[in-house]
Amino acid sequence: MSQELTQSENKKNNSGALLLGTGLAVASMILVPALAVRLGLGASVTGALRIALMKASSRVACGSTSNS
């Protein structure tokens, strides 16, 4: 019984991280380029923002907290 409860809590934590990671990925693929065009940002700035958000998305989804 205790093991099932632990697994259930683990799944809840994973689904929250997955949802956050998906949100960051969508933001980097859709929202950042749209805002960059609207604000007149250059391609290099847009690319850097997308890379940063995709890295954050990967860290959140994998559960990593390191900076490397």
Side-chain angles (χ1 to χ4, degrees):
M1 182 71 179
S2 176
Q3 189 176 20
E4 290 176 8
L5 184 60
T6 305
Q7 288 176 349
S8 175
E9 288 176 6
N10 222 3
K11 286 182 181 180
K12 287 180 184 177
N13 290 340
N14 288 342
S15 62
L18 185 60
L19 184 62
L20 181 59
T22 303
L24 289 171
V26 168
S28 72
M29 296 174 78
I30 297 172
L31 297 177
V32 169
L35 288 173
V37 168
R38 181 84 172 171
L39 296 174
L41 297 176
S44 60
V45 175
T46 304
L49 288 172
R50 289 183 71 190
I51 289 169
L53 281 175
M54 290 301 284
K55 284 184 179 182
S57 169
S58 177
R59 285 187 193 137
V60 167
C62 294
S64 174
T65 59
S66 65
N67 291 334
S68 57

